[in-house]
Amino acid sequence: MNGDRVIGGYALRRLLGRGGMGEVHLAATPTGGLAAVKVIKPALARDPAFRRRFEREVAAARRVARFCTAPVLDAGIDGDVAYLVTEYVKGPDLAEAVRDQGPLSGSNLEALAVGIATALSAIHGAGVIHRDLKPSNVLLSPLGPRVIDFGIAQLVDNDSLASQAILGTPAFMAPEQVRGEPLTPAADVFAWGGVIAYAGTGRLPFGGGAPGEVLYRIMQEGPRLDGLDEGIRDVVARALAKDARLRPTAQGLLAELVGGTRLTTATEVVERTWTGTVTSGVRSSAGRPGGMSAEAQSSARPSEARSGGGQGRERAMRPTGLVAPTGGPVDSPLRGPMGAPAPVPGSVGGAAGPGRGRWWPWVAGAAATVLAVGAALAVPGLWQETLWPYEAGFGDAWAVGASEGGNARQAGTGYELTVNPGWRLWKSAPRREPDTGVIVSAKATLAEGTGEYGVWCHGSASSGDRYEFGVSGSGKVTIVKRRTGTRGRPLYGPANAQGAAVNRIVAECGRSGNKVTLRMWLNERLVAEASDSDSPYGPDEAGVYAASGPTDPARVRFDSFALRPVGQ
């Protein structure tokens, strides 16, 4: 047990495991959920070069599509402690599952192969190379396989002890990795072949023994694939080619697994993996007809298709707003059209019927992923637009540029608002709120000047309406309802709270009957509660804001931002 130890606002509950870079803990999030927190060894965290690589790799990891990984929720460096927060995935890893239940075969193995290949496609599509794909880095969640720890291996210099620990699984190294050559995504494809061979036979494809012996066999001998299902053996053999140029890409693996002559359609994979019939009458895991998830149903509503017709997936510059010294909102020259997410297939679930071999409870979700991949192999772009929670990398869809009230700009992996004296800037996230209520969170710093900053929800850039949750430089918190042409109506505060140099602000906009309920946390402490039943605002947009004092400008840096449905 970790007692009340808190890192980055996350309360550590128990140790999940140790590795070459540090420890992984189960932790409680500010809103009561669970997350996995990787705490990096202090010796690494103190290294300036490691810090630079850490920031770069975290930014890259945030770009990876979420549906087949353990997505990055937060990251930071606090003194000698660097930490990485990911979604907590419940379930054993592949190594444990094969050890405890034996090898996979038939449709179970095919579903696993497709799920991992899909994850690699998403990882490579974000410009990341995993570098350490192995059975212990594949978690078998109830909804399908999740690939974890992608990109982490390149955080450490190749000649360091930590790097040797990270890359210390010789059985799945590609020959070029053994030779110490610069890696490409083809190294991950080689590792995929080794992982699937292990999953289907229970043996390491190049045998065990001393690391040097295993590495020699990887370089000089062919893999042992006898006992592997004939249908998938040829794909695995091509993935394990010594010459990286002869291996298929991750997208090529998917095409072979779901679109070749052996498996004519992705639906066949679904039907062979999950013995229920895939029809419009099947209920999704959320209990909705038609096999469509709540997120997919929400995104398909006409009211959200603001761009019209087939333009739903267009990523346009989002609206932004600012408030003049009189308190009334003013249109910003940065305002542009609004994009809306495109509908995508959801997850399919149901009762397991009798099937051949052992029943693996996660394969129904994995098969649903196959169905989506069969419809569109451009996996990363499709899924990043639609699944919750949304987390900002403050990329191209956040508005940047100067206006009368100040300036918005990218600042490394963060986002900075510089506000002229007496003005208020507010920026919309490139994602609409869920209909079920929203949790908005951000980590921010008042870098210069005086004033306040925070997050807002249930807003509209076109009208200027919104609920603001703010903290001032002096540590006072407020919840304010703002309308066009008004100075805003305080619903809570100003009240004293225990602020810090870097503050984590979490806000909840929910609904109870005919009123909106509002709650605010500051650095994991509930500091404000209010409600609004006077023509309350509904779900629309959310974002960040900053306001300066009357005489001096203010500069606020936001290092993270996230939206998630209430209760998720």
Tab-separated table of all heavy atoms in Angstrom, residues 508-543:
chain	number	residue	atom	x	y	z
A	508	GLU	N	-16.864	19.890	-13.292
A	508	GLU	CA	-17.952	19.009	-13.717
A	508	GLU	C	-19.187	19.836	-14.039
A	508	GLU	O	-19.616	20.663	-13.230
A	508	GLU	CB	-18.291	17.997	-12.628
A	508	GLU	CG	-19.474	17.103	-12.981
A	508	GLU	CD	-19.869	16.165	-11.858
A	508	GLU	OE1	-19.003	15.851	-11.016
A	508	GLU	OE2	-21.037	15.764	-11.806
A	509	CYS	N	-19.739	19.625	-15.229
A	509	CYS	CA	-21.019	20.207	-15.618
A	509	CYS	C	-21.981	19.059	-15.856
A	509	CYS	O	-21.909	18.382	-16.889
A	509	CYS	CB	-20.891	21.051	-16.886
A	509	CYS	SG	-19.995	22.596	-16.663
A	510	GLY	N	-22.841	18.816	-14.901
A	510	GLY	CA	-23.817	17.734	-15.017
A	510	GLY	C	-25.228	18.278	-14.983
A	510	GLY	O	-25.456	19.487	-14.907
A	511	ARG	N	-26.206	17.393	-15.025
A	511	ARG	CA	-27.606	17.822	-15.001
A	511	ARG	C	-28.347	17.013	-13.956
A	511	ARG	O	-28.190	15.804	-13.846
A	511	ARG	CB	-28.268	17.653	-16.368
A	511	ARG	CG	-29.730	18.103	-16.405
A	511	ARG	CD	-30.254	18.182	-17.816
A	511	ARG	NE	-29.682	19.292	-18.551
A	511	ARG	CZ	-30.157	20.539	-18.503
A	511	ARG	NH1	-31.207	20.827	-17.733
A	511	ARG	NH2	-29.597	21.497	-19.203
A	512	SER	N	-29.157	17.721	-13.177
A	512	SER	CA	-30.020	17.094	-12.190
A	512	SER	C	-31.409	17.704	-12.339
A	512	SER	O	-31.654	18.844	-11.937
A	512	SER	CB	-29.474	17.328	-10.774
A	512	SER	OG	-30.345	16.787	-9.809
A	513	GLY	N	-32.311	16.965	-12.965
A	513	GLY	CA	-33.638	17.521	-13.240
A	513	GLY	C	-33.540	18.650	-14.251
A	513	GLY	O	-32.955	18.516	-15.321
A	514	ASN	N	-34.103	19.806	-13.877
A	514	ASN	CA	-34.085	20.965	-14.785
A	514	ASN	C	-32.996	21.959	-14.415
A	514	ASN	O	-33.087	23.141	-14.745
A	514	ASN	CB	-35.455	21.662	-14.799
A	514	ASN	CG	-35.829	22.202	-13.426
A	514	ASN	OD1	-35.151	21.902	-12.438
A	514	ASN	ND2	-36.893	22.982	-13.362
A	515	LYS	N	-31.968	21.510	-13.736
A	515	LYS	CA	-30.882	22.411	-13.376
A	515	LYS	C	-29.543	21.770	-13.699
A	515	LYS	O	-29.413	20.540	-13.804
A	515	LYS	CB	-30.940	22.786	-11.894
A	515	LYS	CG	-30.664	21.640	-10.935
A	515	LYS	CD	-30.752	22.104	-9.486
A	515	LYS	CE	-30.488	20.937	-8.526
A	515	LYS	NZ	-30.599	21.375	-7.114
A	516	VAL	N	-28.547	22.623	-13.881
A	516	VAL	CA	-27.183	22.170	-14.115
A	516	VAL	C	-26.439	22.180	-12.789
A	516	VAL	O	-26.505	23.161	-12.030
A	516	VAL	CB	-26.470	23.087	-15.131
A	516	VAL	CG1	-24.980	22.764	-15.199
A	516	VAL	CG2	-27.088	22.919	-16.511
A	517	THR	N	-25.769	21.088	-12.495
A	517	THR	CA	-24.950	21.011	-11.281
A	517	THR	C	-23.493	21.237	-11.667
A	517	THR	O	-23.001	20.695	-12.667
A	517	THR	CB	-25.104	19.644	-10.602
A	517	THR	OG1	-24.751	18.607	-11.521
A	517	THR	CG2	-26.525	19.431	-10.151
A	518	LEU	N	-22.806	22.032	-10.853
A	518	LEU	CA	-21.438	22.447	-11.167
A	518	LEU	C	-20.537	22.163	-9.966
A	518	LEU	O	-20.868	22.534	-8.841
A	518	LEU	CB	-21.405	23.948	-11.490
A	518	LEU	CG	-22.402	24.414	-12.561
A	518	LEU	CD1	-22.538	25.925	-12.542
A	518	LEU	CD2	-21.966	23.933	-13.933
A	519	ARG	N	-19.423	21.510	-10.207
A	519	ARG	CA	-18.460	21.230	-9.141
A	519	ARG	C	-17.053	21.508	-9.659
A	519	ARG	O	-16.770	21.330	-10.840
A	519	ARG	CB	-18.568	19.778	-8.660
A	519	ARG	CG	-19.917	19.441	-8.031
A	519	ARG	CD	-19.851	18.161	-7.220
A	519	ARG	NE	-19.576	16.994	-8.040
A	519	ARG	CZ	-19.279	15.791	-7.553
A	519	ARG	NH1	-19.166	15.623	-6.247
A	519	ARG	NH2	-19.082	14.768	-8.356
A	520	MET	N	-16.175	21.892	-8.738
A	520	MET	CA	-14.810	22.250	-9.119
A	520	MET	C	-13.819	21.664	-8.120
A	520	MET	O	-14.019	21.753	-6.904
A	520	MET	CB	-14.663	23.778	-9.160
A	520	MET	CG	-13.256	24.269	-9.447
A	520	MET	SD	-13.179	26.092	-9.441
A	520	MET	CE	-11.420	26.357	-9.660
A	521	TRP	N	-12.760	21.056	-8.664
A	521	TRP	CA	-11.653	20.559	-7.854
A	521	TRP	C	-10.407	21.365	-8.188
A	521	TRP	O	-10.181	21.737	-9.351
A	521	TRP	CB	-11.360	19.090	-8.152
A	521	TRP	CG	-12.397	18.114	-7.718
A	521	TRP	CD1	-12.404	17.344	-6.605
A	521	TRP	CD2	-13.588	17.763	-8.442
A	521	TRP	NE1	-13.519	16.541	-6.565
A	521	TRP	CE2	-14.269	16.784	-7.683
A	521	TRP	CE3	-14.163	18.183	-9.645
A	521	TRP	CZ2	-15.474	16.223	-8.104
A	521	TRP	CZ3	-15.365	17.634	-10.057
A	521	TRP	CH2	-16.014	16.667	-9.290
A	522	LEU	N	-9.604	21.630	-7.176
A	522	LEU	CA	-8.316	22.283	-7.369
A	522	LEU	C	-7.257	21.411	-6.714
A	522	LEU	O	-7.299	21.205	-5.491
A	522	LEU	CB	-8.313	23.686	-6.759
A	522	LEU	CG	-7.031	24.501	-6.948
A	522	LEU	CD1	-6.805	24.808	-8.428
A	522	LEU	CD2	-7.072	25.796	-6.136
A	523	ASN	N	-6.360	20.895	-7.522
A	523	ASN	CA	-5.292	20.015	-7.030
A	523	ASN	C	-5.854	18.872	-6.197
A	523	ASN	O	-5.437	18.617	-5.077
A	523	ASN	CB	-4.259	20.820	-6.242
A	523	ASN	CG	-3.637	21.913	-7.089
A	523	ASN	OD1	-3.446	21.746	-8.290
A	523	ASN	ND2	-3.346	23.046	-6.471
A	524	GLU	N	-6.867	18.223	-6.763
A	524	GLU	CA	-7.506	17.017	-6.235
A	524	GLU	C	-8.409	17.263	-5.033
A	524	GLU	O	-8.901	16.315	-4.433
A	524	GLU	CB	-6.467	15.938	-5.866
A	524	GLU	CG	-5.296	15.832	-6.807
A	524	GLU	CD	-5.679	15.913	-8.277
A	524	GLU	OE1	-6.696	15.330	-8.669
A	524	GLU	OE2	-4.959	16.585	-9.026
A	525	ARG	N	-8.666	18.520	-4.655
A	525	ARG	CA	-9.571	18.838	-3.553
A	525	ARG	C	-10.823	19.495	-4.107
A	525	ARG	O	-10.753	20.397	-4.938
A	525	ARG	CB	-8.898	19.791	-2.554
A	525	ARG	CG	-7.723	19.188	-1.802
A	525	ARG	CD	-7.054	20.215	-0.902
A	525	ARG	NE	-8.006	20.829	0.014
A	525	ARG	CZ	-8.357	22.115	-0.013
A	525	ARG	NH1	-7.844	22.922	-0.935
A	525	ARG	NH2	-9.207	22.592	0.849
A	526	LEU	N	-11.992	19.015	-3.651
A	526	LEU	CA	-13.244	19.646	-4.041
A	526	LEU	C	-13.324	20.999	-3.348
A	526	LEU	O	-13.335	21.088	-2.119
A	526	LEU	CB	-14.436	18.770	-3.627
A	526	LEU	CG	-15.820	19.291	-3.991
A	526	LEU	CD1	-15.997	19.359	-5.503
A	526	LEU	CD2	-16.904	18.406	-3.373
A	527	VAL	N	-13.364	22.091	-4.130
A	527	VAL	CA	-13.291	23.434	-3.551
A	527	VAL	C	-14.554	24.261	-3.802
A	527	VAL	O	-14.725	25.309	-3.176
A	527	VAL	CB	-12.063	24.205	-4.096
A	527	VAL	CG1	-10.770	23.550	-3.624
A	527	VAL	CG2	-12.091	24.301	-5.621
A	528	ALA	N	-15.437	23.828	-4.718
A	528	ALA	CA	-16.606	24.651	-5.013
A	528	ALA	C	-17.724	23.789	-5.579
A	528	ALA	O	-17.482	22.860	-6.361
A	528	ALA	CB	-16.247	25.758	-6.009
A	529	GLU	N	-18.962	24.120	-5.186
A	529	GLU	CA	-20.156	23.470	-5.724
A	529	GLU	C	-21.230	24.523	-5.926
A	529	GLU	O	-21.386	25.439	-5.115
A	529	GLU	CB	-20.671	22.388	-4.783
A	529	GLU	CG	-19.773	21.174	-4.652
A	529	GLU	CD	-20.396	20.076	-3.808
A	529	GLU	OE1	-21.126	19.235	-4.372
A	529	GLU	OE2	-20.171	20.079	-2.589
A	530	ALA	N	-21.984	24.403	-6.998
A	530	ALA	CA	-23.063	25.346	-7.289
A	530	ALA	C	-24.044	24.666	-8.220
A	530	ALA	O	-23.807	23.560	-8.722
A	530	ALA	CB	-22.511	26.628	-7.929
A	531	SER	N	-25.184	25.311	-8.431
A	531	SER	CA	-26.167	24.814	-9.393
A	531	SER	C	-26.810	26.011	-10.073
A	531	SER	O	-26.764	27.145	-9.577
A	531	SER	CB	-27.222	23.947	-8.701
A	531	SER	OG	-27.961	24.713	-7.763
A	532	ASP	N	-27.435	25.770	-11.224
A	532	ASP	CA	-28.076	26.833	-11.983
A	532	ASP	C	-29.376	26.290	-12.576
A	532	ASP	O	-29.362	25.358	-13.376
A	532	ASP	CB	-27.156	27.317	-13.103
A	532	ASP	CG	-27.790	28.431	-13.929
A	532	ASP	OD1	-28.608	29.184	-13.368
A	532	ASP	OD2	-27.468	28.535	-15.127
A	533	SER	N	-30.491	26.871	-12.167
A	533	SER	CA	-31.802	26.489	-12.707
A	533	SER	C	-32.456	27.637	-13.455
A	533	SER	O	-33.622	27.527	-13.862
A	533	SER	CB	-32.714	26.011	-11.558
A	533	SER	OG	-32.838	27.012	-10.556
A	534	ASP	N	-31.738	28.749	-13.637
A	534	ASP	CA	-32.262	29.921	-14.335
A	534	ASP	C	-31.832	29.868	-15.798
A	534	ASP	O	-30.764	30.353	-16.159
A	534	ASP	CB	-31.732	31.201	-13.666
A	534	ASP	CG	-32.261	32.464	-14.341
A	534	ASP	OD1	-33.222	32.368	-15.138
A	534	ASP	OD2	-31.696	33.544	-14.083
A	535	SER	N	-32.676	29.234	-16.624
A	535	SER	CA	-32.335	29.037	-18.044
A	535	SER	C	-30.929	28.475	-18.175
A	535	SER	O	-30.042	29.090	-18.780
A	535	SER	CB	-32.447	30.361	-18.810
A	535	SER	OG	-33.750	30.884	-18.755
A	536	PRO	N	-30.690	27.296	-17.621
A	536	PRO	CA	-29.326	26.753	-17.614
A	536	PRO	C	-28.856	26.413	-19.028
A	536	PRO	O	-29.647	26.105	-19.914
A	536	PRO	CB	-29.455	25.497	-16.756
A	536	PRO	CG	-30.889	25.095	-16.884
A	536	PRO	CD	-31.658	26.381	-16.990
A	537	TYR	N	-27.557	26.464	-19.210
A	537	TYR	CA	-26.960	26.119	-20.488
A	537	TYR	C	-26.879	24.596	-20.615
A	537	TYR	O	-26.769	23.884	-19.616
A	537	TYR	CB	-25.548	26.694	-20.630
A	537	TYR	CG	-25.461	28.186	-20.437
A	537	TYR	CD1	-24.346	28.771	-19.837
A	537	TYR	CD2	-26.477	29.027	-20.865
A	537	TYR	CE1	-24.243	30.139	-19.676
A	537	TYR	CE2	-26.394	30.404	-20.700
A	537	TYR	CZ	-25.276	30.947	-20.101
A	537	TYR	OH	-25.176	32.304	-19.936
A	538	GLY	N	-26.880	24.129	-21.843
A	538	GLY	CA	-26.750	22.705	-22.102
A	538	GLY	C	-25.425	22.369	-22.750
A	538	GLY	O	-24.610	23.242	-23.047
A	539	PRO	N	-25.166	21.082	-22.997
A	539	PRO	CA	-23.889	20.665	-23.601
A	539	PRO	C	-23.663	21.310	-24.955
A	539	PRO	O	-24.566	21.383	-25.789
A	539	PRO	CB	-24.055	19.143	-23.737
A	539	PRO	CG	-25.098	18.779	-22.734
A	539	PRO	CD	-26.037	19.940	-22.673
A	540	ASP	N	-22.463	21.803	-25.156
A	540	ASP	CA	-22.115	22.418	-26.434
A	540	ASP	C	-20.594	22.373	-26.597
A	540	ASP	O	-20.064	21.388	-27.067
A	540	ASP	CB	-22.643	23.848	-26.505
A	540	ASP	CG	-22.726	24.365	-27.943
A	540	ASP	OD1	-22.066	23.763	-28.807
A	540	ASP	OD2	-23.424	25.356	-28.196
A	541	GLU	N	-19.902	23.428	-26.168
A	541	GLU	CA	-18.451	23.484	-26.298
A	541	GLU	C	-17.810	23.668	-24.922
A	541	GLU	O	-18.477	24.059	-23.959
A	541	GLU	CB	-18.033	24.639	-27.211
A	541	GLU	CG	-18.538	24.520	-28.632
A	541	GLU	CD	-18.251	25.770	-29.446
A	541	GLU	OE1	-17.281	26.480	-29.109
A	541	GLU	OE2	-18.988	26.044	-30.403
A	542	ALA	N	-16.509	23.415	-24.860
A	542	ALA	CA	-15.724	23.596	-23.634
A	542	ALA	C	-14.329	24.039	-24.031
A	542	ALA	O	-13.928	23.926	-25.194
A	542	ALA	CB	-15.672	22.304	-22.823
A	543	GLY	N	-13.579	24.556	-23.059
A	543	GLY	CA	-12.230	25.007	-23.377
A	543	GLY	C	-11.512	25.597	-22.194
A	543	GLY	O	-11.827	25.290	-21.032
